[in-house]
Amino acid sequence: MDISLEIVSVAFFIGLLTWVLLDIMRRRRGGGSNRTCLIYRADRGSKVFALLTIVANALISTFYLGFGIYEYWVGGGIISWKSIFSGMTWVLATLVTVYSKNTIHSEQNRWPWVLIIWWILSCSFYSLSLCLYLTNHFRSLDLPDILPKANIVEFASFPLSVLLFFNAFRYAAQEKNDLKHPLLEKEDETPPQNTDTYTKAGIWSKATFQWLNPLFKRGRIQKLELPHIPHVPPSERAENASYVLDESLRKQKTEDSSLPKSIMRAIRRSLAINAVFAGANTAASYIGPFLITNFVNYLLEKNDNSSIHHGLILAFIFFIAKTLESLSQRQWYFGAHLIGVRVRAALTVLIYKKSISIKYSGPSNGKIINLINVDVERIGDFCWYIHGIWLLPLQVVLALAILYRNLGAAPSAAALLSTVLIMVCNTPLANTQERLHSKIMEANDSRIKVTSEILKSMRVLKLHSWEPTFLKKLLQLRETERHWLKRYLYTCSAVAFLFWASPTLVSVTTFGVCILLNTPLTVGTVLSALATFRILQEPIYNLPELISMITQTKVSIDRIQEFVKDDQMKLIPCHTSKVSDVMVVLDAGEYAWKTTEQDLKKPTIKVTEKIEIMKGSKVAVCGSVGSGKSSLLLSILGEIPKISGAGAKVYATKAYVSQSAWIQTGTIRENVLFGKEMNKGCYEYVLEICALDHDVNTWADGDLTVVGERGMNLSGGEKQRIQLARAVYSDSDIYILDDPFSAVDAHTGTHLFKKCLLQHLSMKTVIYATHQLEFLEAADLVLVIKDGQIAESGKYEDLIADPNSELVRQMSAHKKSFDQVNTCQQDDSFNRRSHQVNLIEVLEEKEAINNGKLSGKSNEEEAETGRVKWRVYSTFVTSAYRGALVPVILLCQVFFQGLQMGSNYWIAWATKNEHKVSKKRLMWVFALLSAGSSIFILGRALFLSTIAIQTAQRLFLGMITSVFRAPISFFDSTPSSRILNRCSTDQNTVDMDIPYRIAGLAFALIQLISIIILMSQVAWQVFILFLGVLALSMWYQAYYITTARELARMVGIRKAPILHHFSESITGAGTLRCFNQGDRFLMKTMDLIDDYSRVAFHNYATMEWLSVRTNFLFNLVFFLLLIILVSLPRSAIDPSLAGLAATYGLNLNVLQAWVIWNMCNVENKMISVERILQFTHIPSEAPLVIEDCRPVPEWPMAGKIELENIHVQYNPSLPTVLKGITCTFPGGKKIGVVGRTGSGKSTLIQALFRIVEPSGGQILIDGVDISKIGLQDLRSRLSIIPQDPILFQGTMRTNLDPLQQHSDQELWEVLNQCRLAEIVRQDQRLLDAPVAEDGENWSVGQRQLVCLARVLLKKRKILVLDEATASIDTATDILIQETIRKETSGCTVITVAHRIPTVIDNDLVLVLGEGKVLEYDSPTRLLEDSSSAFSKLVAEFLRRSSMSNCYRDPS
């Protein structure tokens, strides 16, 4: 048989040589050069496999050449023909492989057929030889001489030949596939959106993760974007995962529905397959410790004349076991991540469905976000731990079985008891860990909640100069979190100490019992026991972690189940009307937000008589602040719980415009269309009647301009008009409008009412709440609300005719303000008539609303590209104590490793040399060395925790301080979710993860180097192999990291849109339900989840791709080490040292995987540090205090404000908003600022407070240039009530006086002045009455009154009112204006208002238009000129308010 094989080798040698010569001749004739250029890109597709193929061929060639030299040396100058011919053929095959890689393979992406046949034949021959040898060895059969006999080279070459065998088939198969692809492919071409490379992959491709090669190829040549990432498998997509979970929940009885059971039912098949891999991994991992005794005994018993076949068999079994362990572990881990992706997707969809279906008073936005961010993630992570429940006992049983086989019953029992004792010691630590972790999470929740609220209110904080106070509050919350974090990390140090010391403690106990009982110890049994103890380390460590994880997961599941299990609040059905003209029926009944016993007596809204609203009728709802207008509209929508009566019935489609505008992030067009098809004509008409057409024309990108989060870069009027346009475009039957005119000026309000309500919606049913009582006359039915009840209902003429009616009382206040304006107007009434034509022209003009704040481009999150910069690492490492503790920690690890290896070698050596060492000395030295290693491990853990705490705090302080000092433009352009992501997810990673990742990498490298040194001591040849394998591993890692880094960045970026969409949907849930947009938003949620899943899925998979390859390389090194140990003469090795090297080699693949995994994971995790550092370098506002330029404490004394040629633009690339404003506001005077929306009113106020810095000119207050003083000195001396009334979660006391500078008596005084005292006294808690998130439990009008009270409390010399009473009824407004006049006498009051009565009695009026001063004089002087802009505004107000004007005529 050997002769025939030699002939085959010679034949292939000739064949390979002939092929090379023919190919060279063919190329010389000019066939190949151009083609190589054209199809060069094919080379990139299989560069990795091509390199592996060359290495495998070269290694086999080296084995044959080395074996030939060995034969020549040992055999006295004789070499077998087999070695010569096989060696020559493999050398030529290697050369042909190198040649082919640069020619044929680069062109056609395949190898020559002659090579492929040679690889297949070689693999078949090696397989046959090994099988025959094993059969002969175990069965002792006499096989015919004609059959091949295996030698050491065939044993060593077999794994490499298997690789070449699969490579051959891979390229043979690929040749067919290549015909289907174009030869030229664009590098930036993106794969189809429905691609799913995983599902289509074959078994071998899945086992080795080859299906990821195209992704790596693309990641190597260009930056990865989301479209480049293939989809997740269909089973993991949100829609399918959600459907399976819903079905599982449906199959259980409703009353007994259990979420854990439903989840298990949904994933049981995948879980079972995953369990097979987990079991195979565990079984394979114990084969090494089981056989190490046999291997060491073989080395001890071997002599120079004995056969090496037994040793080769053991080496081969070790290699097969380690390969099986590696492959099964990769599939187990990846399968667990895959199940986690599915569970997360299903639960996220489940929570979203519930969130947008909850009506009434559901959980807070923050709690639902927490369910997604924390609880769903934890349940997904548990899929990785779930098999530990049955694997832990299995691991302990297998370990005890090996110990029993080697040492007997008593030492095994001692090992079991010491293991149980360590677990018992670990359990209270684990419980403490869990308790402290809960405390950290609670503290973290509180901090994030406050951070979220602060970010939403940052404009108000800056205007009031409250940022330092709120920053201090936030830092106090962080200090609480840091306190628990410190205790948690030091507890982790104790757990880490037990983890690393456990093998030492168990081994000291076990060997101590062996010595006491005189149990015979051999080198083999000792090393087998040590390897077993090292494996026992895992269950010891994992048990408390598993218990903790089970507890945490149960808490998370219970929280989600409680949230999901709440009674589903069904939507109000759209009834089919029997009488076609009836649109809404409001039966007698009571509605209340709460339904507890004590609240039942006091409904929010009470309907005493049945009300029918007919088709096409207009219903006006009026009433004072907090009377229940919005509640009545919400009860019609079915958003308030009904506690008695039949409730409201709606018989048609409806549209809703809320009082607090809800604008979704996206373009203006998306907000208006709101899921409907684009009808160009209708769309443009809607923009026109909603007074949006001019705005759209002035924005750079028109209606494709992107609106920021919550519409923060739009004015209040713009937001309200977009909402109205959304409702009008929906073409519904019923329109429910909640005070849509309060946020717009008189001109625009009239335009909207006339064009929109009376003309376009003339045939529709409209129910509108309003404080503008002049709009009541046009209504067919007026509902007057008082104290939560419909006090009166009827036609306007009938109600106004009753002198005692509530409407007459409210109208009298309105008439008073009307008369106040009218008396200022000249008696000559023809002024108004003569300018009526001009007035209508003004009305029809479209205002210029480009305030320069809107950017046309979507503000995508900025992400770094390429490697994480070294400065990020250096900043992180040197943040704590300038890096002084880092070398100390590394020294601790070196000493630990040295002492641990020394103790293991000592006991192995002393056992072999019993005659030289007494048992007592053996035990004492072993115990001392072990104790020394444990002390160093404890020191390492404590120092590391100290560094982690300090570093995390330094980074947090740098980021949060920078954010607080950022200008308001930063918050306008940066969604709060992006900042919160860094404050929560990234900060948590820095707190508890990254320091341990970096340290883990350093420790693993030290361990790996120490094992390499140990192995090199035994066989120096291993060192050369290690260098080659390490170089290849590093190349793999470099190839991997370019793709993995971008995927890790995308994982961070893709999570934020899900949270943002959740938050946005929950806030606008009522609008979504009204417009029946739930399904569309659900589909968007699923798309966002799938985007996140596909990135996370491929992020997990790429790590497994790398691990499979590096594991195989290090398993190969271990295999070759064993073969070297087997083949070396007995005299050349120390069996104790060799056995120790083999024992440590068992962990080589795990350790190597840990090094590579940590190396890659560190870079991925460092992206969190990179993102935090991004926010530590935000351009800052001017200093809060400039010591050299501080104004006197009494400043401003007079309150005189001088504006000198002020120019303002929000950005150098945007147009100027204020264009040379020059005027003086005298001290102690009342100045009204009026003008159309977008004329620059709010910008002027922002310039006064230096929210935006003027680009030219200066502002002087009492002669002090405000640009020269600190921001805190400026803003703290001024007062403002901003346009959007902001309340903070807490109590009425903390909202009125956030700085806690005033007594209760002062607080009650301002509450009385603002007509809020009675409302506050209705709650028994008085000033401690709770204020919900965003002040949701107070009406918008009441919130504005609280803001007014807040300002009156400060008693500043200069007061700014920016649309301060827009959402307040006329009667209350008159009272408030009287209060302001009384309380601010002697103060400079600047009032920005849409209502003419608010400014008509001011000393001066400033009229702005397109950023310029149109007019500035006293109201009386301005009204004398009938052509003045102010006269036109007053005339318009009078025309709108006139009782004689009839709105019924739509013309």
Side-chain angles (χ1 to χ4, degrees), residues 459 665 706-709 712-713 853-855 857-862 966-979 1175 1178-1179 1211:
R459 187 179 294 273
T665 306
V706 175
V707 178
E709 187 180 15
M712 63 176 10
N713 50 355
K853 290 188 283 183
L854 271 182
S855 161
K857 294 177 183 175
S858 172
N859 191 10
E860 281 291 322
E861 180 162 1
E862 176 191 342
I968 206 70
S969 58
F970 169 77
F971 300 96
D972 286 344
S973 61
T974 308
S976 60
S977 58
R978 201 175 293 172
I979 303 171
F1175 275 22
I1178 305 165
N1211 190 300

mmCIF file of all heavy atoms in Angstrom, residues 459 665 706-709 712-713 853-855 857-862 966-979 1175 1178-1179 1211:
data_model
loop_
_atom_site.group_PDB
_atom_site.id
_atom_site.type_symbol
_atom_site.label_atom_id
_atom_site.label_comp_id
_atom_site.label_asym_id
_atom_site.label_seq_id
_atom_site.Cartn_x
_atom_site.Cartn_y
_atom_site.Cartn_z
ATOM 1 N N ARG A 459 -34.428 75.432 29.009
ATOM 2 C CA ARG A 459 -34.605 76.842 28.628
ATOM 3 C C ARG A 459 -35.078 77.660 29.835
ATOM 4 O O ARG A 459 -34.575 78.765 30.077
ATOM 5 C CB ARG A 459 -35.606 76.951 27.477
ATOM 6 C CG ARG A 459 -35.731 78.354 26.899
ATOM 7 C CD ARG A 459 -36.725 78.368 25.752
ATOM 8 N NE ARG A 459 -36.256 77.601 24.617
ATOM 9 C CZ ARG A 459 -35.484 78.108 23.656
ATOM 10 N NH1 ARG A 459 -35.118 79.379 23.708
ATOM 11 N NH2 ARG A 459 -35.109 77.354 22.654
ATOM 12 N N THR A 665 -41.437 63.900 15.848
ATOM 13 C CA THR A 665 -40.164 64.194 15.195
ATOM 14 C C THR A 665 -40.242 63.723 13.751
ATOM 15 O O THR A 665 -40.621 62.591 13.479
ATOM 16 C CB THR A 665 -39.021 63.462 15.930
ATOM 17 O OG1 THR A 665 -39.079 63.808 17.312
ATOM 18 C CG2 THR A 665 -37.671 63.858 15.364
ATOM 19 N N VAL A 706 -37.082 69.472 8.874
ATOM 20 C CA VAL A 706 -37.240 68.522 9.986
ATOM 21 C C VAL A 706 -37.553 69.268 11.276
ATOM 22 O O VAL A 706 -36.897 70.246 11.628
ATOM 23 C CB VAL A 706 -35.959 67.670 10.159
ATOM 24 C CG1 VAL A 706 -36.062 66.783 11.384
ATOM 25 C CG2 VAL A 706 -35.739 66.822 8.916
ATOM 26 N N VAL A 707 -38.584 68.773 11.972
ATOM 27 C CA VAL A 707 -38.990 69.344 13.264
ATOM 28 C C VAL A 707 -38.253 68.588 14.361
ATOM 29 O O VAL A 707 -38.145 67.371 14.321
ATOM 30 C CB VAL A 707 -40.509 69.180 13.466
ATOM 31 C CG1 VAL A 707 -40.929 69.722 14.814
ATOM 32 C CG2 VAL A 707 -41.258 69.884 12.354
ATOM 33 N N GLY A 708 -37.707 69.312 15.334
ATOM 34 C CA GLY A 708 -36.982 68.678 16.436
ATOM 35 C C GLY A 708 -37.911 67.987 17.416
ATOM 36 O O GLY A 708 -39.132 67.962 17.244
ATOM 37 N N GLU A 709 -37.304 67.441 18.460
ATOM 38 C CA GLU A 709 -38.062 66.710 19.477
ATOM 39 C C GLU A 709 -39.111 67.618 20.110
ATOM 40 O O GLU A 709 -38.822 68.731 20.518
ATOM 41 C CB GLU A 709 -37.072 66.224 20.548
ATOM 42 C CG GLU A 709 -37.692 65.320 21.582
ATOM 43 C CD GLU A 709 -36.685 64.861 22.621
ATOM 44 O OE1 GLU A 709 -35.603 65.455 22.702
ATOM 45 O OE2 GLU A 709 -36.982 63.921 23.337
ATOM 46 N N MET A 712 -39.538 71.425 19.420
ATOM 47 C CA MET A 712 -38.881 72.450 20.245
ATOM 48 C C MET A 712 -38.313 73.605 19.411
ATOM 49 O O MET A 712 -38.097 74.689 19.935
ATOM 50 C CB MET A 712 -37.774 71.829 21.112
ATOM 51 C CG MET A 712 -36.659 71.220 20.310
ATOM 52 S SD MET A 712 -35.278 70.582 21.276
ATOM 53 C CE MET A 712 -35.808 70.620 22.940
ATOM 54 N N ASN A 713 -38.083 73.386 18.113
ATOM 55 C CA ASN A 713 -37.557 74.492 17.311
ATOM 56 C C ASN A 713 -38.658 75.227 16.555
ATOM 57 O O ASN A 713 -38.395 75.923 15.593
ATOM 58 C CB ASN A 713 -36.455 73.994 16.356
ATOM 59 C CG ASN A 713 -36.885 72.767 15.561
ATOM 60 O OD1 ASN A 713 -37.965 72.232 15.787
ATOM 61 N ND2 ASN A 713 -36.063 72.318 14.644
ATOM 62 N N LYS A 853 -34.505 79.530 13.201
ATOM 63 C CA LYS A 853 -34.189 78.441 14.125
ATOM 64 C C LYS A 853 -34.318 77.079 13.480
ATOM 65 O O LYS A 853 -33.796 76.113 13.994
ATOM 66 C CB LYS A 853 -35.119 78.501 15.352
ATOM 67 C CG LYS A 853 -34.837 79.668 16.252
ATOM 68 C CD LYS A 853 -35.633 79.572 17.534
ATOM 69 C CE LYS A 853 -37.072 79.951 17.330
ATOM 70 N NZ LYS A 853 -37.840 79.942 18.566
ATOM 71 N N LEU A 854 -35.065 76.999 12.391
ATOM 72 C CA LEU A 854 -35.319 75.679 11.808
ATOM 73 C C LEU A 854 -34.230 75.292 10.828
ATOM 74 O O LEU A 854 -33.892 76.037 9.936
ATOM 75 C CB LEU A 854 -36.663 75.667 11.085
ATOM 76 C CG LEU A 854 -37.863 75.303 11.931
ATOM 77 C CD1 LEU A 854 -39.090 75.290 11.054
ATOM 78 C CD2 LEU A 854 -37.709 73.986 12.623
ATOM 79 N N SER A 855 -33.738 74.107 11.002
ATOM 80 C CA SER A 855 -32.754 73.569 10.067
ATOM 81 C C SER A 855 -33.440 72.562 9.182
ATOM 82 O O SER A 855 -34.264 71.782 9.640
ATOM 83 C CB SER A 855 -31.624 72.901 10.858
ATOM 84 O OG SER A 855 -30.927 72.020 10.032
ATOM 85 N N LYS A 857 -32.100 70.012 7.708
ATOM 86 C CA LYS A 857 -31.510 68.680 7.690
ATOM 87 C C LYS A 857 -31.817 67.950 8.969
ATOM 88 O O LYS A 857 -31.886 68.521 10.040
ATOM 89 C CB LYS A 857 -29.996 68.787 7.520
ATOM 90 C CG LYS A 857 -29.616 69.351 6.148
ATOM 91 C CD LYS A 857 -28.118 69.505 6.043
ATOM 92 C CE LYS A 857 -27.724 70.139 4.730
ATOM 93 N NZ LYS A 857 -26.300 70.418 4.626
ATOM 94 N N SER A 858 -31.976 66.643 8.835
ATOM 95 C CA SER A 858 -32.189 65.801 10.009
ATOM 96 C C SER A 858 -30.896 65.759 10.797
ATOM 97 O O SER A 858 -29.833 65.515 10.268
ATOM 98 C CB SER A 858 -32.562 64.384 9.554
ATOM 99 O OG SER A 858 -32.592 63.538 10.647
ATOM 100 N N ASN A 859 -31.008 66.024 12.084
ATOM 101 C CA ASN A 859 -29.818 66.071 12.915
ATOM 102 C C ASN A 859 -29.481 64.674 13.404
ATOM 103 O O ASN A 859 -29.765 64.299 14.523
ATOM 104 C CB ASN A 859 -30.075 67.015 14.091
ATOM 105 C CG ASN A 859 -28.803 67.323 14.836
ATOM 106 O OD1 ASN A 859 -27.719 66.995 14.375
ATOM 107 N ND2 ASN A 859 -28.954 67.938 15.985
ATOM 108 N N GLU A 860 -28.874 63.871 12.530
ATOM 109 C CA GLU A 860 -28.503 62.497 12.874
ATOM 110 C C GLU A 860 -27.408 62.523 13.926
ATOM 111 O O GLU A 860 -26.586 63.421 13.970
ATOM 112 C CB GLU A 860 -27.986 61.763 11.625
ATOM 113 C CG GLU A 860 -29.084 61.284 10.694
ATOM 114 C CD GLU A 860 -29.907 60.148 11.289
ATOM 115 O OE1 GLU A 860 -29.342 59.289 11.965
ATOM 116 O OE2 GLU A 860 -31.131 60.148 11.087
ATOM 117 N N GLU A 861 -27.415 61.491 14.758
ATOM 118 C CA GLU A 861 -26.405 61.438 15.810
ATOM 119 C C GLU A 861 -25.019 61.297 15.205
ATOM 120 O O GLU A 861 -24.769 60.470 14.347
ATOM 121 C CB GLU A 861 -26.678 60.265 16.753
ATOM 122 C CG GLU A 861 -25.659 60.169 17.855
ATOM 123 C CD GLU A 861 -26.134 59.317 19.018
ATOM 124 O OE1 GLU A 861 -27.240 58.785 18.964
ATOM 125 O OE2 GLU A 861 -25.356 59.209 19.965
ATOM 126 N N GLU A 862 -24.114 62.129 15.715
ATOM 127 C CA GLU A 862 -22.731 62.104 15.224
ATOM 128 C C GLU A 862 -22.027 60.902 15.831
ATOM 129 O O GLU A 862 -22.079 60.670 17.031
ATOM 130 C CB GLU A 862 -22.039 63.401 15.668
ATOM 131 C CG GLU A 862 -20.577 63.464 15.306
ATOM 132 C CD GLU A 862 -19.877 64.627 15.999
ATOM 133 O OE1 GLU A 862 -20.582 65.536 16.461
ATOM 134 O OE2 GLU A 862 -18.649 64.600 16.070
ATOM 135 N N ALA A 966 -23.740 74.140 28.333
ATOM 136 C CA ALA A 966 -23.941 74.259 26.882
ATOM 137 C C ALA A 966 -24.969 75.342 26.569
ATOM 138 O O ALA A 966 -25.897 75.569 27.358
ATOM 139 C CB ALA A 966 -24.406 72.929 26.308
ATOM 140 N N PRO A 967 -24.852 75.999 25.421
ATOM 141 C CA PRO A 967 -25.853 76.999 25.036
ATOM 142 C C PRO A 967 -27.179 76.329 24.684
ATOM 143 O O PRO A 967 -27.213 75.121 24.407
ATOM 144 C CB PRO A 967 -25.228 77.668 23.800
ATOM 145 C CG PRO A 967 -24.275 76.656 23.257
ATOM 146 C CD PRO A 967 -23.768 75.869 24.430
ATOM 147 N N ILE A 968 -28.244 77.105 24.665
ATOM 148 C CA ILE A 968 -29.580 76.539 24.419
ATOM 149 C C ILE A 968 -29.678 75.961 23.018
ATOM 150 O O ILE A 968 -30.471 75.040 22.774
ATOM 151 C CB ILE A 968 -30.676 77.600 24.682
ATOM 152 C CG1 ILE A 968 -32.014 76.922 25.056
ATOM 153 C CG2 ILE A 968 -30.847 78.528 23.497
ATOM 154 C CD1 ILE A 968 -32.007 76.271 26.405
ATOM 155 N N SER A 969 -28.866 76.441 22.079
ATOM 156 C CA SER A 969 -28.898 75.899 20.715
ATOM 157 C C SER A 969 -28.517 74.425 20.698
ATOM 158 O O SER A 969 -29.001 73.657 19.862
ATOM 159 C CB SER A 969 -27.944 76.682 19.814
ATOM 160 O OG SER A 969 -26.625 76.641 20.336
ATOM 161 N N PHE A 970 -27.662 74.019 21.629
ATOM 162 C CA PHE A 970 -27.278 72.605 21.737
ATOM 163 C C PHE A 970 -28.500 71.747 22.078
ATOM 164 O O PHE A 970 -28.710 70.687 21.500
ATOM 165 C CB PHE A 970 -26.193 72.441 22.805
ATOM 166 C CG PHE A 970 -25.914 71.017 23.184
ATOM 167 C CD1 PHE A 970 -25.155 70.196 22.351
ATOM 168 C CD2 PHE A 970 -26.410 70.476 24.361
ATOM 169 C CE1 PHE A 970 -24.897 68.873 22.688
ATOM 170 C CE2 PHE A 970 -26.159 69.153 24.710
ATOM 171 C CZ PHE A 970 -25.403 68.352 23.871
ATOM 172 N N PHE A 971 -29.335 72.221 22.992
ATOM 173 C CA PHE A 971 -30.524 71.459 23.407
ATOM 174 C C PHE A 971 -31.605 71.496 22.332
ATOM 175 O O PHE A 971 -32.394 70.566 22.213
ATOM 176 C CB PHE A 971 -31.057 71.993 24.739
ATOM 177 C CG PHE A 971 -30.064 71.897 25.852
ATOM 178 C CD1 PHE A 971 -29.276 72.971 26.192
ATOM 179 C CD2 PHE A 971 -29.880 70.700 26.529
ATOM 180 C CE1 PHE A 971 -28.331 72.878 27.207
ATOM 181 C CE2 PHE A 971 -28.949 70.593 27.548
ATOM 182 C CZ PHE A 971 -28.165 71.682 27.883
ATOM 183 N N ASP A 972 -31.637 72.578 21.550
ATOM 184 C CA ASP A 972 -32.597 72.656 20.446
ATOM 185 C C ASP A 972 -32.278 71.637 19.365
ATOM 186 O O ASP A 972 -33.176 71.095 18.721
ATOM 187 C CB ASP A 972 -32.589 74.066 19.831
ATOM 188 C CG ASP A 972 -33.290 75.084 20.723
ATOM 189 O OD1 ASP A 972 -34.027 74.651 21.632
ATOM 190 O OD2 ASP A 972 -33.091 76.291 20.522
ATOM 191 N N SER A 973 -30.993 71.381 19.151
ATOM 192 C CA SER A 973 -30.590 70.495 18.048
ATOM 193 C C SER A 973 -30.287 69.066 18.507
ATOM 194 O O SER A 973 -30.117 68.189 17.684
ATOM 195 C CB SER A 973 -29.350 71.064 17.350
ATOM 196 O OG SER A 973 -28.275 71.149 18.265
ATOM 197 N N THR A 974 -30.211 68.834 19.812
ATOM 198 C CA THR A 974 -29.869 67.497 20.330
ATOM 199 C C THR A 974 -31.066 66.917 21.067
ATOM 200 O O THR A 974 -31.457 67.453 22.099
ATOM 201 C CB THR A 974 -28.661 67.590 21.292
ATOM 202 O OG1 THR A 974 -27.609 68.293 20.653
ATOM 203 C CG2 THR A 974 -28.185 66.203 21.691
ATOM 204 N N PRO A 975 -31.655 65.821 20.574
ATOM 205 C CA PRO A 975 -32.780 65.205 21.298
ATOM 206 C C PRO A 975 -32.358 64.786 22.705
ATOM 207 O O PRO A 975 -31.221 64.324 22.897
ATOM 208 C CB PRO A 975 -33.117 63.969 20.440
ATOM 209 C CG PRO A 975 -32.530 64.236 19.106
ATOM 210 C CD PRO A 975 -31.331 65.089 19.330
ATOM 211 N N SER A 976 -33.260 64.965 23.659
ATOM 212 C CA SER A 976 -32.916 64.629 25.046
ATOM 213 C C SER A 976 -32.572 63.150 25.183
ATOM 214 O O SER A 976 -31.764 62.763 26.029
ATOM 215 C CB SER A 976 -34.072 64.991 25.978
ATOM 216 O OG SER A 976 -35.244 64.283 25.623
ATOM 217 N N SER A 977 -33.180 62.280 24.323
ATOM 218 C CA SER A 977 -32.889 60.842 24.407
ATOM 219 C C SER A 977 -31.412 60.563 24.153
ATOM 220 O O SER A 977 -30.832 59.631 24.702
ATOM 221 C CB SER A 977 -33.746 60.067 23.390
ATOM 222 O OG SER A 977 -33.500 60.527 22.076
ATOM 223 N N ARG A 978 -30.788 61.408 23.318
ATOM 224 C CA ARG A 978 -29.371 61.223 23.006
ATOM 225 C C ARG A 978 -28.503 61.548 24.215
ATOM 226 O O ARG A 978 -27.527 60.857 24.505
ATOM 227 C CB ARG A 978 -29.012 62.123 21.826
ATOM 228 C CG ARG A 978 -27.777 61.697 21.083
ATOM 229 C CD ARG A 978 -27.557 62.565 19.870
ATOM 230 N NE ARG A 978 -28.583 62.383 18.857
ATOM 231 C CZ ARG A 978 -28.697 63.131 17.774
ATOM 232 N NH1 ARG A 978 -27.837 64.120 17.579
ATOM 233 N NH2 ARG A 978 -29.642 62.910 16.895
ATOM 234 N N ILE A 979 -28.884 62.600 24.936
ATOM 235 C CA ILE A 979 -28.132 62.971 26.145
ATOM 236 C C ILE A 979 -28.402 61.935 27.235
ATOM 237 O O ILE A 979 -27.484 61.497 27.936
ATOM 238 C CB ILE A 979 -28.536 64.383 26.626
ATOM 239 C CG1 ILE A 979 -28.320 65.402 25.505
ATOM 240 C CG2 ILE A 979 -27.748 64.774 27.866
ATOM 241 C CD1 ILE A 979 -28.876 66.782 25.782
ATOM 242 N N PHE A 1175 -19.283 64.613 24.825
ATOM 243 C CA PHE A 1175 -20.129 65.591 25.511
ATOM 244 C C PHE A 1175 -19.384 66.341 26.608
ATOM 245 O O PHE A 1175 -19.989 67.116 27.344
ATOM 246 C CB PHE A 1175 -21.382 64.904 26.088
ATOM 247 C CG PHE A 1175 -22.504 64.783 25.082
ATOM 248 C CD1 PHE A 1175 -22.242 64.819 23.718
ATOM 249 C CD2 PHE A 1175 -23.829 64.629 25.490
ATOM 250 C CE1 PHE A 1175 -23.259 64.707 22.790
ATOM 251 C CE2 PHE A 1175 -24.858 64.511 24.565
ATOM 252 C CZ PHE A 1175 -24.568 64.558 23.208
ATOM 253 N N ILE A 1178 -18.382 70.173 24.701
ATOM 254 C CA ILE A 1178 -19.415 70.977 24.027
ATOM 255 C C ILE A 1178 -19.026 72.454 24.179
ATOM 256 O O ILE A 1178 -18.631 72.869 25.271
ATOM 257 C CB ILE A 1178 -20.798 70.740 24.677
ATOM 258 C CG1 ILE A 1178 -21.137 69.245 24.691
ATOM 259 C CG2 ILE A 1178 -21.879 71.524 23.964
ATOM 260 C CD1 ILE A 1178 -22.281 68.902 25.629
ATOM 261 N N PRO A 1179 -19.137 73.245 23.098
ATOM 262 C CA PRO A 1179 -18.870 74.690 23.240
ATOM 263 C C PRO A 1179 -19.744 75.285 24.345
ATOM 264 O O PRO A 1179 -20.946 75.025 24.407
ATOM 265 C CB PRO A 1179 -19.255 75.257 21.867
ATOM 266 C CG PRO A 1179 -19.111 74.099 20.925
ATOM 267 C CD PRO A 1179 -19.473 72.878 21.713
ATOM 268 N N ASN A 1211 -27.428 81.411 13.745
ATOM 269 C CA ASN A 1211 -26.288 80.671 13.230
ATOM 270 C C ASN A 1211 -25.673 81.512 12.118
ATOM 271 O O ASN A 1211 -26.399 82.150 11.353
ATOM 272 C CB ASN A 1211 -26.783 79.306 12.696
ATOM 273 C CG ASN A 1211 -25.651 78.371 12.371
ATOM 274 O OD1 ASN A 1211 -24.806 78.674 11.521
ATOM 275 N ND2 ASN A 1211 -25.625 77.231 13.034
#
